[in-house]
Amino acid sequence: MITSLPSQLFGILAIILLGYLLVNIFLPKNNFFEKVALGFLVGFGVFTFALFLANWLWGIPFDILSCGLILLFLIFSVILINLSRSNKFWIVGNIFTKLHIYLIEMRHNPVGKIIIFFILAFIPVSILISDLYWPVWQWDAIALYDYRARNMVLFKSIVLSFNVNDSAYPLLTSIGHGIVYLLGGTNPQYLYFLFFLSIALIYYFFLRRFLERTYAAISTLFVMSLPMMYRHAQFALSDLPQSAYLISGFLYLALGLSSNKKSYIYVSSILFSLSGWVRNEPFWIVAFIILVIFSFRRRWFLLDGIFFTLSYAVSRVWLYFVNTVSDNALAYNHAPAKVFAANFSTFINPVFWLVPITFVFKNAILPTLPVYIALVILLLLHRRTIVKIVVVISVEILGIILIILAGSSYYAVTSSQWNALYSSLQRLMIFLDVLAMANVSLLLFPWSINKKKN
Amino acid sequence: MADIYIEMKKGIETINYLVFPFIFAFALFVSILESYKYMGFFQAHFHISSFFIYLLSIFSWLGLVISKIKLKIMSKSSLMQWYLIGGVVIFVIILSLYIILNELEIIYYDNYSFAHFHFQPVNLIYPLILSTESVILIFITNNNLNSLRGKAKSFLKIKLSYPRKIFVNSRKQINIWLAVSWLLFFVFGFYNFFISVRTFVKSDTFILSHLDASYDKKMEQKWGTLYYLVELILRNTPENSKILFPPKMAPWLVAGNINQVRYFLGNRILYNANDPISIEGNPDYILIAQGGLHPVYDAVKDASEYDWPKVFIPAQKIWYADPALGRLSEVDKDFDPKDSMNKNAWGLIKVDKKRI
């Protein structure tokens, strides 16, 4: 592991560079570290998807040379796009000036600042230590994600090594593990530390637009400490990566709708499409509906269409691939419309709904109930002066809960052991808790004097 | 002739108006009684079908609904109004019971309500349907509706003003609610932070004392028994050997999960038995699995269901793994499920193919 450290570092940095350049097309003026965090998510997703397409459509082998060439090609292409838009991507802003100012400020309260630094750094450092020490051990990772990755490296192919029985989830995490193995690594768990760090940074810079540094940092610390977040940053599973894409997707959608900046919405649609590359969950539908509702007056119909296409594209490609490989043996037999029609009498029975409502409340809301109570109190307190971004995020939260309810009711009629999978729902709700925390932070903490409210 | 029919109709409506309260009360009483006792109780004791009584009540109610004259009389009769309001109160009580008892059964187990309160929620549907008669009658008799509308409006005016009073009235009230929100947010946040610290310190103890632990040592720490079995198989079986695992059912759902262990076992041929007692496929090796590795997926009602295989197997050798002590032992004897060594055991059998 140590001997391959330079190659792994170089590889990860190159992927981040790809993502940074892609994000820079849409958000050239945003904070450097925010773009780096977003860049990791976007770069990782785009690069792994490109490798999959290259292997599937053109038979390009999955080895270090091909991966390197594809990455170089992508970086080069994105540099050209940036140059064509006159984006000076090589300018990283005044981060050094800010660092200099921060170090000067430390003279006034060195102890306090050092303590805060250690408190903030404790969670990420503890996760990094855990990820570097423990090998991939989670059952699902051993049975599926990492198993697929090892086969990809062994067969030098993503497609040839693919077994239709292992098609439960798309390939982002598996290809990611495969890239680490190709770079000489033996333990890909540190990728999940990077996902965790991306969430923390994106969340922090989102709040930083509205709040002072201290409040944004406190809220970020609380988000990092969320039990599911902390735990899953140490697991090589797909829950945290998916949450990373969904959290950023929903936050940037809210930013775009509240500030009327389409660039944020484009970034949001890319993030939602990549969330479908981690796990095929339909949360992007909530985002699309919210976009249509809030942008209707502005007649952003083209944007709506692009959002829909981008968000749906990746998961559709994956489904098509699985059906091709399985000769349609895994054709979707439980289409929601069919299930609804076949179980109509069940769905109109009010007593039936008590079951999924209880299930969702116990597993999605109860673990972070204080946050939701605080959110309701604050929404009522601020109901006359509520700002648009809070409204959008609140609607997002409501939409997500409704879709979870719909999904639970769907599984309640199609599967006899559906409620034994309560832990799956708890893991899935990481991103909902973060959105609720963001909303509470925006409502609870005083906004910076020079920040716009609408 | 037409006059006769009109007179007959009036007569029937009058009789219906007079008997409806009694039929309605009687039907409600029977439905509540049967929901407490059992469906068919009334027929069993009084030889009259309860369903017939319910139908009678519904027809009487329908007769009232379609009779405009009687509805007008009803709306002016204060006695009838109070009677219907009583029916509405019963409706609210039964609806609440219906929801609460169903909820309890979801939270605890099926039949919880009957076991504790002697009410089967599903049987409450009849009194619920019957009591809606009075709810609908209340709303379609105009006078009642108007006065109720007026009463409901003033009631709601008072109640809906509460949130405004609580949240807006004074700075003191706003501050209290803000303080509550701060408390909830910060206590929750710092609690989670300290839990994270505690979790890390606990795992840190192992990390610090096993800095140079091998991959196997780390996996044993995380997987326990299952990884001991993996090591047992790796150490004692050649590649391409056929290994039979227990069937994919509790209590061997985890131990029999081939997808879990194929990651480690390379080119060995792994497959499951079809049921607890059959040994098929001519295996080279057979796993010995007590079962019960997962508290939920491997749960069984009877302890006698543990332990696999359940049949005699001629063997060249048996390896036993003791995960608790981290020890392995080896014996040269056949596998007999009745042997005490094979109770609550984990291990591997090398099959004697000449004698099987």
Side-chain angles (χ1 to χ4, degrees):
Chain A
M1 175 86 173
I2 292 177
T3 51
S4 63
L5 199 58
S7 59
Q8 289 181 69
L9 205 59
F10 182 76
I12 296 296
L13 285 174
I15 293 171
I16 293 174
L17 177 64
L18 168 65
Y20 176 88
L21 292 167
L22 270 166
V23 168
N24 203 59
I25 295 170
F26 300 99
L27 308 172
K29 291 177 184 163
N30 282 41
N31 181 280
F32 170 74
F33 291 109
E34 179 187 359
K35 285 194 286 187
V36 166
L38 259 179
F40 171 73
L41 295 181
V42 171
F44 199 80
V46 167
F47 181 50
T48 51
F49 191 63
L51 290 177
F52 163 72
L53 288 177
N55 186 242
W56 176 33
L57 299 174
W58 298 294
I60 295 173
F62 183 68
D63 56 30
I64 189 74
L65 181 65
S66 310
C67 290
L69 288 172
I70 290 169
L71 185 59
L72 269 173
F73 171 74
L74 288 170
I75 290 173
F76 187 64
S77 310
V78 181
I79 287 175
L80 286 176
I81 297 171
N82 271 283
L83 288 173
S84 71
R85 293 166 68 95
S86 309
N87 283 344
K88 294 179 185 168
F89 57 88
W90 54 87
I91 295 173
V92 293
N94 53 353
I95 53 167
F96 295 109
T97 315
K98 282 182 182 170
L99 189 63
H100 183 67
I101 293 169
Y102 185 76
L103 288 170
I104 292 171
E105 281 177 5
M106 267 191 79
R107 274 194 240 155
H108 298 294
N109 185 11
V111 173
K113 288 202 158 50
I114 288 168
I115 290 172
I116 290 169
F117 175 76
F118 274 109
I119 290 173
L120 283 171
F122 173 80
I123 302 263
V125 167
S126 64
I127 289 170
L128 183 62
I129 291 172
S130 180
D131 280 345
L132 289 175
Y133 180 81
W134 297 105
V136 174
W137 64 268
Q138 301 78 27
W139 288 5
D140 284 355
I142 294 285
L144 184 68
Y145 306 118
D146 206 54
Y147 178 75
R148 288 192 303 198
R150 286 180 177 233
N151 278 348
M152 284 175 201
V153 173
L154 192 66
F155 289 97
K156 291 190 196 248
S157 169
I158 297 169
V159 172
L160 288 178
S161 66
F162 186 77
N163 185 334
V164 74
N165 294 323
D166 298 328
S167 63
Y169 297 110
L171 296 170
L172 183 139
T173 46
S174 297
I175 297 177
H177 288 206
I179 291 169
V180 171
Y181 292 134
L182 285 177
L183 289 168
T186 54
N187 184 2
Q189 287 223 128
Y190 67 85
L191 292 175
Y192 299 88
F193 163 75
L194 293 174
F195 278 110
F196 173 84
L197 204 58
S198 301
I199 294 173
L201 284 171
I202 289 168
Y203 181 83
Y204 172 79
F205 284 108
F206 168 80
L207 285 181
R208 195 66 186 94
R209 283 176 171 81
F210 310 100
L211 308 176
E212 295 292 346
R213 193 188 299 149
T214 311
Y215 298 124
I218 291 171
S219 189
T220 307
L221 174 68
F222 289 167
V223 158
M224 290 196 290
S225 310
L226 283 170
M228 279 291 165
M229 178 82 96
Y230 183 73
R231 220 179 299 154
H232 278 267
Q234 301 167 66
F235 294 165
L237 301 174
S238 54
D239 302 283
L240 191 78
Q242 193 203 23
S243 297
Y245 288 105
L246 289 175
I247 289 166
S248 357
F250 278 112
L251 288 179
Y252 279 100
L253 177 68
L255 271 175
L257 288 172
S258 62
S259 62
N260 296 328
K261 285 187 183 164
K262 289 185 185 179
S263 51
Y264 285 126
I265 299 174
Y266 285 123
V267 170
S268 169
S269 67
I270 294 172
L271 292 163
F272 279 116
S273 73
L274 293 174
S275 79
W277 186 224
V278 186
R279 289 167 76 106
N280 223 345
E281 309 283 358
F283 294 109
W284 64 269
I285 296 173
V286 175
F288 175 67
I289 293 170
I290 290 171
L291 173 66
V292 167
I293 292 168
F294 279 88
S295 66
F296 195 76
R297 276 193 189 169
R298 287 186 207 93
R299 296 170 189 264
W300 285 353
F301 300 130
L302 181 63
L303 177 64
D304 294 344
I306 292 171
F307 188 96
F308 181 88
T309 310
L310 270 175
S311 302
Y312 189 42
V314 171
S315 53
R316 198 68 198 88
V317 166
W318 166 250
L319 280 172
Y320 177 75
F321 167 73
V322 170
N323 280 335
T324 312
V325 167
S326 68
D327 293 327
N328 292 316
L330 294 175
Y332 199 39
N333 290 322
H334 291 292
K338 277 188 199 169
V339 168
F340 182 74
N343 297 280
F344 183 71
S345 56
T346 307
F347 282 116
I348 60 169
N349 177 5
V351 174
F352 162 77
W353 286 97
L354 289 175
V355 174
I357 287 171
T358 310
F359 180 76
V360 167
F361 179 77
K362 260 171 77 175
N363 298 296
I365 309 288
L366 202 58
T368 39
L369 190 61
V371 176
Y372 292 101
I373 294 174
L375 180 60
V376 169
I377 292 172
L378 289 165
L379 283 171
L380 284 169
L381 275 177
H382 286 85
R383 68 191 185 285
R384 291 213 174 107
T385 55
I386 209 162
V387 292
K388 192 169 180 187
I389 191 147
V390 169
V391 172
V392 176
I393 298 177
S394 304
V395 173
E396 286 174 355
I397 293 169
L398 194 63
I400 292 163
I401 292 172
L402 287 174
I403 206 169
I404 291 292
L405 208 53
S408 301
S409 64
Y410 169 87
Y411 284 113
V413 295
T414 55
S415 165
S416 57
Q417 290 180 315
W418 69 282
N419 55 358
L421 301 172
Y422 59 90
S423 62
S424 297
L425 179 59
Q426 286 171 353
R427 296 196 301 253
L428 200 60
M429 289 298 101
I430 295 173
F431 74 99
L432 183 66
D433 296 339
V434 174
L435 290 176
M437 299 275 281
N439 233 12
V440 169
S441 304
L442 288 173
L443 288 166
L444 192 64
F445 297 127
W447 283 30
S448 298
I449 294 164
N450 58 348
K451 304 288 184 195
K452 286 182 189 174
K453 286 210 171 186
N454 262 311
Chain B
M1 272 307 257
D3 289 339
I4 294 171
Y5 284 122
I6 291 168
E7 286 301 319
M8 266 176 68
K9 190 179 160 217
K10 275 186 186 169
I12 291 168
E13 281 177 358
T14 306
I15 293 168
N16 187 41
Y17 178 76
L18 289 171
V19 302
F20 169 76
F22 300 101
I23 295 174
F24 173 69
F26 186 58
L28 206 53
F29 167 74
V30 168
S31 63
I32 294 171
L33 180 69
E34 291 209 333
S35 64
Y36 182 75
K37 289 288 185 185
Y38 54 87
M39 300 306 290
F41 173 86
F42 204 76
Q43 171 134 31
H45 286 77
F46 300 102
H47 306 289
I48 303 172
S49 164
S50 52
F51 193 62
F52 170 74
I53 298 167
Y54 303 156
L55 268 180
L56 208 59
S57 170
I58 289 171
F59 280 130
S60 174
W61 171 78
L62 269 171
L64 264 184
V65 168
I66 61 178
S67 164
K68 283 185 186 168
I69 296 167
K70 293 303 168 195
L71 283 179
K72 260 193 184 169
I73 296 171
M74 245 175 129
S75 63
K76 284 175 189 166
S77 162
S78 55
L79 187 67
M80 192 56 111
Q81 282 174 37
W82 280 112
Y83 187 79
L84 291 176
I85 287 170
V88 171
V89 168
I90 293 174
F91 169 80
V92 169
I93 293 170
I94 292 176
L95 181 65
S96 311
L97 258 179
Y98 185 62
I99 292 170
I100 292 166
L101 293 179
N102 271 298
E103 190 67 33
L104 286 171
E105 299 221 329
I106 293 163
I107 292 169
Y108 294 105
Y109 53 85
D110 287 346
N111 234 24
Y112 176 89
S113 304
F114 187 75
H116 286 74
F117 309 110
H118 216 280
F119 268 105
Q120 287 207 29
V122 66
N123 293 343
L124 283 172
I125 200 77
Y126 293 105
L128 195 62
I129 291 170
L130 288 170
S131 55
T132 51
E133 291 177 9
S134 53
V135 174
I136 295 170
L137 276 174
I138 283 279
F139 275 93
I140 62 176
T141 47
N142 290 333
N143 280 1
N144 270 343
L145 183 61
N146 281 335
S147 64
L148 262 180
R149 269 182 186 161
K151 283 179 188 163
K153 263 189 183 171
S154 52
F155 176 80
L156 285 170
K157 255 190 192 168
I158 298 163
K159 292 299 171 199
L160 282 179
S161 67
Y162 278 179
R164 217 180 298 157
K165 280 182 189 171
I166 291 168
F167 284 102
V168 167
N169 247 16
S170 68
R171 175 138 305 274
K172 185 180 170 187
Q173 284 170 334
I174 292 170
N175 285 341
I176 289 170
W177 285 111
L178 268 178
V180 167
S181 311
W182 274 79
L183 205 66
L184 284 168
F185 190 64
F186 273 80
V187 167
F188 179 75
F190 278 116
Y191 174 75
N192 287 333
F193 177 71
F194 288 120
I195 294 290
S196 308
V197 171
R198 194 182 71 175
T199 308
F200 178 68
V201 167
K202 269 187 179 172
S203 72
D204 192 36
T205 318
F206 181 88
I207 293 173
L208 284 175
S209 55
H210 298 82
L211 273 174
D212 57 350
S214 65
Y215 176 82
D216 287 337
K217 197 81 193 154
K218 291 176 186 175
M219 288 302 293
E220 282 168 20
Q221 175 70 11
K222 288 294 184 185
W223 273 35
T225 305
L226 196 58
Y227 197 75
Y228 279 112
L229 289 177
V230 165
E231 288 181 295
L232 183 68
I233 295 171
L234 277 171
R235 217 172 288 157
N236 297 296
T237 64
E239 292 207 353
N240 297 317
S241 50
K242 279 175 81 172
I243 307 170
L244 180 66
F245 279 72
K248 278 192 281 193
M249 53 190 279
W252 311 286
L253 265 178
V254 174
N257 189 350
I258 290 172
N259 285 351
Q260 213 75 57
V261 297
R262 61 181 177 171
Y263 183 91
F264 306 101
L265 297 179
N267 291 330
R268 290 157 184 83
I269 302 163
L270 314 175
Y271 65 107
N272 292 102
N274 290 332
D275 54 66
I277 57 168
S278 62
I279 305 289
E280 64 273 301
N282 197 22
D284 301 315
Y285 298 87
I286 299 174
L287 198 71
I288 301 171
Q290 176 197 359
L293 284 178
H294 194 279
V296 175
Y297 299 137
D298 283 345
V300 287
K301 287 175 189 166
D302 190 355
S304 65
E305 291 180 58
Y306 288 119
D307 299 318
W308 184 86
K310 296 196 181 289
V311 294
F312 177 86
I313 297 166
Q316 292 182 15
K317 208 183 288 256
I318 300 176
W319 296 274
Y320 290 101
D322 188 343
L325 298 170
R327 276 209 302 250
L328 287 172
S329 56
E330 194 179 304
V331 295
D332 294 337
K333 66 185 215 179
D334 295 332
F335 179 85
D336 185 351
K338 292 174 195 152
D339 189 340
S340 59
M341 276 190 82
N342 297 322
K343 297 287 176 202
N344 303 324
W346 296 94
L348 187 70
I349 304 166
K350 186 174 181 184
V351 177
D352 188 340
K353 290 202 162 180
K354 289 176 191 165
R355 291 191 285 138
I356 199 158

